[in-house]
Amino acid sequence: MTSLLWAGHWLLRLWLAVYLLIYGWSKIFHMQMGYADFADALVQYGEMSPMGLLWRFMAFSPTVQFLAGLAEVAAAVLLLFRRTAWLGALLAAIDMSVVFLLNLTFDVPVKQLSGLMALVGLILLLPNIVRLGRFVVGLPTGPPVQGTITENRRFRAVVRWASPLLALVLVVGSGLALGLRANWGQPDPPSAIAGVYRVTDVGQRTLAGSEISQVAFGQIAVAGRARAAIRYTGGTYQDGMYTFEDGSTVTLSLYPKRNGDQGLIRDVETTISLAFVKAGSGDLRLSGEGLDLTLVSDSERRYLFDRDFSWSRREPINR
């Protein structure tokens, strides 16, 4: 019976480590929350979903996102080695309890999975819970409790070498796979038109029956594609992606205008190609497909992105 329990313990360790590696590497390489981008400058506070608010909070600080992922990867690595499994279980339980709380309070759909992962971390910690309690109150703890699945010498000799190799393959392999997919978390250089703009009254600015008042082109591009956003005079918001077809044409692929509950996966509703000319002042001229827009850089809408960091004391800006 004890052998079966330790076999189950090992399987739970492996299951939890795999999920921690997936989520951990995706944060380290900024795949899960991404980066704060100019397209978000046109999103008003009340328009965001709770999940969208959490994602933008994490995306604004790549360092926080990286450290959160590093904590999850560290827990996974510790779980994969028998002698440090108890410490990995403790770290995983703490990590996933925080994630579960965030998912619960910001209504992220994977709240059940994160809660289960936190619970599994606590279950894995049970054999060493007395040691942990003794450590907390300052008493000697003794060696970690480590069970065995079988006393068969041949099996134990194989596992002695196979387990570290499996751990190495899981950690390095998952990191390489996700790192290569995400280009190691490094986006393309910002495009020439990246920024947040207001549209002047000059020219034709009506698209699909609505007048455009603001436009944002994201600075975070992956494989030549970056986010874009449009705000109309009536208050409607529309987002999408943009690409450069050549040195002077930008193609916008727009999703349906935001209205109520909309999922993460959306189909492109409109595609338009516009010629652009950038003035020395940073202003833009976009024309084509019935549009003739003059865009002026909007410093107020991009204040969040332009605000610099200072270690020295200065007047707090909480706006």
Side-chain angles (χ1 to χ4, degrees):
M1 183 64 180
T2 303
S3 297
L4 289 176
L5 289 175
W6 281 112
H9 190 273
W10 180 82
L11 289 173
L12 284 178
R13 281 168 49 199
L14 187 61
W15 176 85
L16 183 56
V18 168
Y19 268 105
L20 286 169
L21 287 172
I22 294 172
Y23 280 106
W25 286 125
S26 68
K27 290 182 179 71
I28 286 176
F29 298 127
H30 303 103
M31 298 172 66
Q32 188 173 5
M33 285 88 176
Y35 296 90
D37 204 356
F38 286 143
D40 291 320
L42 301 188
V43 180
Q44 297 178 358
Y45 189 84
E47 292 178 327
M48 290 184 283
S49 66
M51 179 179 173
L53 177 60
L54 175 61
W55 249 238
R56 289 179 176 90
F57 165 76
M58 293 293 292
F60 183 74
S61 177
T63 303
V64 170
Q65 192 176 165
F66 175 87
L67 292 175
L70 187 62
E72 293 174 359
V73 170
V77 172
L78 293 170
L79 278 169
L80 290 171
F81 294 92
R82 192 164 64 97
R83 293 184 179 181
T84 58
W86 71 273
L87 185 57
L90 175 62
L91 183 56
I94 295 172
D95 289 345
M96 297 316 300
S97 293
V98 174
V99 173
F100 174 64
L101 180 62
L102 290 172
N103 289 346
L104 194 67
T105 54
F106 285 87
D107 193 31
V108 181
V110 290
K111 56 180 75 70
Q112 295 87 351
L113 176 60
S114 58
L116 179 60
M117 292 172 69
L119 178 61
V120 169
L122 292 174
I123 292 173
L124 293 175
L125 190 59
L126 284 178
N128 285 277
I129 197 69
V130 175
R131 292 182 65 251
L132 182 61
R134 292 177 65 87
F135 172 79
V136 171
V137 298
L139 296 176
T141 60
V145 178
Q146 302 173 23
T148 57
I149 297 175
T150 178
E151 296 297 332
N152 184 284
R153 291 184 177 181
R154 182 173 297 178
F155 177 83
R156 296 183 66 177
V158 172
V159 170
R160 181 181 179 183
W161 297 104
S163 292
L165 287 176
L166 175 62
L168 185 64
V169 169
L170 284 175
V171 175
V172 177
S174 59
L176 285 174
L178 292 175
L180 289 170
R181 182 179 178 184
N183 192 30
W184 308 107
Q186 300 300 314
D188 299 341
S191 70
I193 63 173
V196 185
Y197 305 90
R198 59 180 175 84
V199 181
T200 67
D201 294 333
V202 179
Q204 176 55 254
R205 55 192 184 124
T206 301
L207 176 63
S210 300
E211 285 194 346
I212 300 173
S213 61
Q214 295 170 313
V215 178
F217 293 106
Q219 79 273 37
I220 306 298
V222 177
R225 288 166 51 86
R227 295 173 58 205
I230 296 174
R231 176 70 67 178
Y232 296 93
T233 54
T236 306
Y237 173 85
Q238 188 172 23
D239 67 331
M241 307 293 292
Y242 78 95
T243 58
F244 285 110
E245 299 300 321
D246 53 49
S248 60
T249 303
V250 58
T251 297
L252 284 165
S253 300
L254 300 173
Y255 303 123
K257 295 177 181 178
R258 180 162 294 172
N259 182 25
D261 296 335
Q262 291 177 324
L264 291 173
I265 301 175
R266 296 166 292 167
D267 294 326
V268 172
E269 181 182 65
T270 305
T271 300
I272 57 175
S273 293
L274 303 172
F276 77 88
V277 177
K278 189 169 186 178
S281 60
D283 298 344
L284 285 178
R285 176 80 179 275
L286 297 176
S287 59
E289 303 202 22
L291 290 172
D292 185 11
L293 307 175
T294 300
L295 310 183
V296 179
S297 183
D298 191 337
S299 59
E300 279 298 306
R301 285 290 181 178
R302 55 180 291 166
Y303 184 87
L304 175 67
F305 303 94
D306 293 337
R307 176 70 173 173
D308 63 331
F309 170 80
S310 175
W311 185 257
S312 60
R313 292 175 60 87
R314 61 181 178 181
E315 182 180 358
I317 306 297
N318 186 2
R319 47 178 282 181

PDB file of all heavy atoms in Angstrom, residues 110-125:
ATOM      1  N   VAL A 110      -9.440  29.806 -15.994  1.00  0.00           N
ATOM      2  CA  VAL A 110      -8.694  28.637 -15.511  1.00  0.00           C
ATOM      3  C   VAL A 110      -8.579  28.624 -13.990  1.00  0.00           C
ATOM      4  O   VAL A 110      -7.643  28.048 -13.437  1.00  0.00           O
ATOM      5  CB  VAL A 110      -7.290  28.576 -16.152  1.00  0.00           C
ATOM      6  CG1 VAL A 110      -7.380  28.238 -17.617  1.00  0.00           C
ATOM      7  CG2 VAL A 110      -6.542  29.883 -15.932  1.00  0.00           C
ATOM      8  N   LYS A 111      -9.530  29.236 -13.303  1.00  0.00           N
ATOM      9  CA  LYS A 111      -9.475  29.256 -11.835  1.00  0.00           C
ATOM     10  C   LYS A 111      -9.532  27.847 -11.252  1.00  0.00           C
ATOM     11  O   LYS A 111      -8.901  27.557 -10.237  1.00  0.00           O
ATOM     12  CB  LYS A 111     -10.599  30.128 -11.276  1.00  0.00           C
ATOM     13  CG  LYS A 111     -12.002  29.732 -11.724  1.00  0.00           C
ATOM     14  CD  LYS A 111     -13.062  30.646 -11.118  1.00  0.00           C
ATOM     15  CE  LYS A 111     -13.088  31.997 -11.785  1.00  0.00           C
ATOM     16  NZ  LYS A 111     -13.620  31.955 -13.172  1.00  0.00           N
ATOM     17  N   GLN A 112     -10.293  26.940 -11.900  1.00  0.00           N
ATOM     18  CA  GLN A 112     -10.384  25.570 -11.387  1.00  0.00           C
ATOM     19  C   GLN A 112      -9.040  24.857 -11.488  1.00  0.00           C
ATOM     20  O   GLN A 112      -8.616  24.161 -10.553  1.00  0.00           O
ATOM     21  CB  GLN A 112     -11.453  24.775 -12.152  1.00  0.00           C
ATOM     22  CG  GLN A 112     -12.868  25.287 -11.969  1.00  0.00           C
ATOM     23  CD  GLN A 112     -13.245  26.380 -12.956  1.00  0.00           C
ATOM     24  OE1 GLN A 112     -12.383  26.879 -13.687  1.00  0.00           O
ATOM     25  NE2 GLN A 112     -14.516  26.748 -12.990  1.00  0.00           N
ATOM     26  N   LEU A 113      -8.354  25.021 -12.622  1.00  0.00           N
ATOM     27  CA  LEU A 113      -7.058  24.369 -12.805  1.00  0.00           C
ATOM     28  C   LEU A 113      -6.028  24.908 -11.820  1.00  0.00           C
ATOM     29  O   LEU A 113      -5.284  24.139 -11.201  1.00  0.00           O
ATOM     30  CB  LEU A 113      -6.567  24.567 -14.239  1.00  0.00           C
ATOM     31  CG  LEU A 113      -5.169  24.026 -14.549  1.00  0.00           C
ATOM     32  CD1 LEU A 113      -5.105  22.525 -14.310  1.00  0.00           C
ATOM     33  CD2 LEU A 113      -4.760  24.363 -15.986  1.00  0.00           C
ATOM     34  N   SER A 114      -5.979  26.225 -11.657  1.00  0.00           N
ATOM     35  CA  SER A 114      -5.000  26.795 -10.729  1.00  0.00           C
ATOM     36  C   SER A 114      -5.299  26.378  -9.293  1.00  0.00           C
ATOM     37  O   SER A 114      -4.376  26.119  -8.507  1.00  0.00           O
ATOM     38  CB  SER A 114      -4.979  28.321 -10.849  1.00  0.00           C
ATOM     39  OG  SER A 114      -6.265  28.868 -10.592  1.00  0.00           O
ATOM     40  N   GLY A 115      -6.579  26.288  -8.946  1.00  0.00           N
ATOM     41  CA  GLY A 115      -6.936  25.815  -7.612  1.00  0.00           C
ATOM     42  C   GLY A 115      -6.526  24.369  -7.400  1.00  0.00           C
ATOM     43  O   GLY A 115      -6.035  23.993  -6.324  1.00  0.00           O
ATOM     44  N   LEU A 116      -6.720  23.544  -8.430  1.00  0.00           N
ATOM     45  CA  LEU A 116      -6.315  22.142  -8.342  1.00  0.00           C
ATOM     46  C   LEU A 116      -4.800  22.024  -8.209  1.00  0.00           C
ATOM     47  O   LEU A 116      -4.300  21.194  -7.431  1.00  0.00           O
ATOM     48  CB  LEU A 116      -6.797  21.391  -9.588  1.00  0.00           C
ATOM     49  CG  LEU A 116      -6.428  19.905  -9.677  1.00  0.00           C
ATOM     50  CD1 LEU A 116      -7.015  19.132  -8.502  1.00  0.00           C
ATOM     51  CD2 LEU A 116      -6.898  19.314 -11.003  1.00  0.00           C
ATOM     52  N   MET A 117      -4.064  22.856  -8.940  1.00  0.00           N
ATOM     53  CA  MET A 117      -2.601  22.812  -8.851  1.00  0.00           C
ATOM     54  C   MET A 117      -2.121  23.215  -7.462  1.00  0.00           C
ATOM     55  O   MET A 117      -1.175  22.625  -6.922  1.00  0.00           O
ATOM     56  CB  MET A 117      -1.994  23.721  -9.923  1.00  0.00           C
ATOM     57  CG  MET A 117      -2.202  23.212 -11.344  1.00  0.00           C
ATOM     58  SD  MET A 117      -1.685  24.387 -12.622  1.00  0.00           S
ATOM     59  CE  MET A 117       0.105  24.355 -12.410  1.00  0.00           C
ATOM     60  N   ALA A 118      -2.764  24.206  -6.860  1.00  0.00           N
ATOM     61  CA  ALA A 118      -2.409  24.590  -5.495  1.00  0.00           C
ATOM     62  C   ALA A 118      -2.705  23.457  -4.525  1.00  0.00           C
ATOM     63  O   ALA A 118      -1.908  23.167  -3.612  1.00  0.00           O
ATOM     64  CB  ALA A 118      -3.171  25.851  -5.095  1.00  0.00           C
ATOM     65  N   LEU A 119      -3.845  22.789  -4.715  1.00  0.00           N
ATOM     66  CA  LEU A 119      -4.221  21.672  -3.847  1.00  0.00           C
ATOM     67  C   LEU A 119      -3.244  20.510  -3.989  1.00  0.00           C
ATOM     68  O   LEU A 119      -2.844  19.894  -2.988  1.00  0.00           O
ATOM     69  CB  LEU A 119      -5.642  21.214  -4.183  1.00  0.00           C
ATOM     70  CG  LEU A 119      -6.181  20.021  -3.386  1.00  0.00           C
ATOM     71  CD1 LEU A 119      -6.228  20.352  -1.896  1.00  0.00           C
ATOM     72  CD2 LEU A 119      -7.566  19.623  -3.898  1.00  0.00           C
ATOM     73  N   VAL A 120      -2.839  20.209  -5.219  1.00  0.00           N
ATOM     74  CA  VAL A 120      -1.875  19.128  -5.443  1.00  0.00           C
ATOM     75  C   VAL A 120      -0.546  19.456  -4.764  1.00  0.00           C
ATOM     76  O   VAL A 120       0.105  18.582  -4.185  1.00  0.00           O
ATOM     77  CB  VAL A 120      -1.681  18.885  -6.954  1.00  0.00           C
ATOM     78  CG1 VAL A 120      -0.489  17.966  -7.216  1.00  0.00           C
ATOM     79  CG2 VAL A 120      -2.941  18.274  -7.552  1.00  0.00           C
ATOM     80  N   GLY A 121      -0.132  20.719  -4.821  1.00  0.00           N
ATOM     81  CA  GLY A 121       1.087  21.113  -4.122  1.00  0.00           C
ATOM     82  C   GLY A 121       0.993  20.831  -2.632  1.00  0.00           C
ATOM     83  O   GLY A 121       1.946  20.333  -2.015  1.00  0.00           O
ATOM     84  N   LEU A 122      -0.158  21.115  -2.039  1.00  0.00           N
ATOM     85  CA  LEU A 122      -0.357  20.841  -0.609  1.00  0.00           C
ATOM     86  C   LEU A 122      -0.363  19.339  -0.326  1.00  0.00           C
ATOM     87  O   LEU A 122       0.191  18.883   0.684  1.00  0.00           O
ATOM     88  CB  LEU A 122      -1.666  21.471  -0.139  1.00  0.00           C
ATOM     89  CG  LEU A 122      -1.705  23.006  -0.113  1.00  0.00           C
ATOM     90  CD1 LEU A 122      -3.102  23.494   0.220  1.00  0.00           C
ATOM     91  CD2 LEU A 122      -0.694  23.552   0.892  1.00  0.00           C
ATOM     92  N   ILE A 123      -0.985  18.565  -1.216  1.00  0.00           N
ATOM     93  CA  ILE A 123      -1.011  17.106  -1.040  1.00  0.00           C
ATOM     94  C   ILE A 123       0.408  16.541  -1.091  1.00  0.00           C
ATOM     95  O   ILE A 123       0.782  15.682  -0.278  1.00  0.00           O
ATOM     96  CB  ILE A 123      -1.902  16.454  -2.117  1.00  0.00           C
ATOM     97  CG1 ILE A 123      -3.368  16.827  -1.883  1.00  0.00           C
ATOM     98  CG2 ILE A 123      -1.731  14.935  -2.126  1.00  0.00           C
ATOM     99  CD1 ILE A 123      -4.301  16.371  -2.987  1.00  0.00           C
ATOM    100  N   LEU A 124       1.211  17.024  -2.029  1.00  0.00           N
ATOM    101  CA  LEU A 124       2.590  16.550  -2.151  1.00  0.00           C
ATOM    102  C   LEU A 124       3.430  16.932  -0.935  1.00  0.00           C
ATOM    103  O   LEU A 124       4.433  16.280  -0.628  1.00  0.00           O
ATOM    104  CB  LEU A 124       3.227  17.122  -3.417  1.00  0.00           C
ATOM    105  CG  LEU A 124       2.647  16.631  -4.745  1.00  0.00           C
ATOM    106  CD1 LEU A 124       3.277  17.372  -5.916  1.00  0.00           C
ATOM    107  CD2 LEU A 124       2.851  15.128  -4.905  1.00  0.00           C
ATOM    108  N   LEU A 125       3.015  17.972  -0.257  1.00  0.00           N
ATOM    109  CA  LEU A 125       3.755  18.438   0.918  1.00  0.00           C
ATOM    110  C   LEU A 125       3.411  17.639   2.177  1.00  0.00           C
ATOM    111  O   LEU A 125       4.157  17.684   3.163  1.00  0.00           O
ATOM    112  CB  LEU A 125       3.455  19.925   1.140  1.00  0.00           C
ATOM    113  CG  LEU A 125       4.290  20.698   2.162  1.00  0.00           C
ATOM    114  CD1 LEU A 125       5.767  20.663   1.791  1.00  0.00           C
ATOM    115  CD2 LEU A 125       3.798  22.139   2.258  1.00  0.00           C
TER     116      LEU A 125
END
